Amino acid sequence: MTTPVIGAGPSAVLRAALQLYPARYRHERGEELAEVFADTTAAGGRPAVAREALGLAAYGLRVRLGLTGASAAGRLLALVAPMLAGAAAGAMLVAWLTTADRIAVHLSWDDSYGVYFSSFCPPVAAALLAVAALLGRWTAVRVSALVLGAMGMYDLAYAAWNSSFDVWWSGYIGMASLPFVVAAVLLVAAPTDLLPRPTWRTAGLVLASIAVGGLLAAAQSWDDTTFPLDRQWFVLMLIAPLLLTFAGLRGRFAPMAVGVAALVLAGPGCLFNIWRGSGGLSHLLPMAAPTVAALVLVAVAVHRFGRRETVPEVHAAA
């Protein structure tokens, strides 16, 4: 591949962006990518060069990770996106409403701007996420999800640092914050060209996901440290979506998408509560080992004897 000479700066930027593509992809389409880059930045200044290089690098990362519209992972994420956006929004709104009295007490003795921001930014971002998902505005969905994910990551890092990385306290905060971090990553990773259009069917799916996410957050009583843990309940909440994801081994993407969305929302809390209720890893292994073995057997059986179905079409975004 020969890289066009566009000047020392842009040429170096182009070479750096192309390095994110797999070697075979660069060999087959590197010339074409370089020519398109040269044409689109010829009449532009540094902002145009930076914008095109960023887009080129982002797509190269997608190709390397297998998250393009032509990949199975990309198609799966496009199917998961409406459910994940709705479930995350519903879970955050319900979690905020159930702690509103605690927030009010906190604000009564500390009314600083930081407390107001941390108290009201998450529900506002969740409401915007829900509205954007209903309208099919995926850029707004991603921005709102990233805000929730950044807030969740900050809460987790703050808890870990102030507790000197105490496992119990970090896990306790992480079970509430990690679902929004993972949801933001998956929504950003979903291929834009496969995300569904704003139809009544998509809006209905988002509304149903908001309700399910809210009910799931309200039913688990995760914020109650004295909650008498029923380990069987949390194990079931992990096994059911895992079984759904195994369906994807034979091309059943719709149930797999449901399973992935459920695992993102419930997985961190279930794992933490199973660990907490078991009294440690040594007490957990006798129950975890046969459960994992059974899941592996199910996965092998689905892979060998399941019937393959056609992957459903996903309409391109408007």
Side-chain angles (χ1 to χ4, degrees), residues 34-80:
E35 291 174 3
V36 171
F37 182 87
D39 292 340
T40 54
T41 59
R46 291 183 181 274
V49 172
R51 183 174 60 252
E52 292 298 326
L54 183 61
L56 192 65
Y59 190 75
L61 191 60
R62 282 188 176 278
V63 173
R64 185 173 288 275
L65 296 176
L67 296 176
T68 64
S71 67
R75 296 193 294 272
L76 173 63
L77 290 180
L79 287 173
V80 171

Side-chain angles (χ1 to χ4, degrees), residues 205-232:
L205 181 60
V206 172
L207 283 174
S209 300
I210 292 173
V212 172
L215 289 172
L216 188 60
Q220 294 177 85
S221 299
W222 286 349
D223 196 45
D224 185 0
T225 56
T226 63
F227 183 67
L229 183 66
D230 184 355
R231 279 183 293 172
Q232 288 72 22

Side-chain angles (χ1 to χ4, degrees), residues 75-144:
R75 296 193 294 272
L76 173 63
L77 290 180
L79 287 173
V80 171
M83 291 181 283
L84 200 54
M92 172 55 71
L93 289 172
V94 168
W96 185 82
L97 288 173
T98 56
T99 58
D101 55 341
R102 208 175 307 171
I103 294 172
V105 171
H106 192 186
L107 289 172
S108 66
W109 58 268
D110 186 355
D111 59 351
S112 62
Y113 289 114
V115 174
Y116 271 101
F117 179 81
S118 62
S119 299
F120 293 103
C121 180
V124 170
L128 292 175
L129 174 61
V131 173
L134 288 170
L135 298 177
R137 306 298 183 184
W138 293 106
T139 299
V141 165
R142 285 166 165 160
V143 171
S144 302

Side-chain angles (χ1 to χ4, degrees), residues 84 148-149 151-157 170-186 222 263-269 271-272:
L84 200 54
L148 288 177
M151 294 288 293
M153 200 66 207
Y154 172 80
D155 290 341
L156 180 58
S170 299
Y172 178 68
I173 300 300
M175 70 176 178
S177 59
L178 281 177
F180 302 104
V181 176
V182 178
V185 171
L186 295 184
W222 286 349
L263 281 175
V264 169
L265 198 64
L271 290 173
F272 174 75

Side-chain angles (χ1 to χ4, degrees), residues 302-315:
V302 170
H303 181 68
R304 294 192 59 182
F305 306 111
R307 294 180 299 174
R308 184 178 299 277
E309 294 181 1
T310 303
V311 176
E313 296 182 0
V314 181
H315 297 291

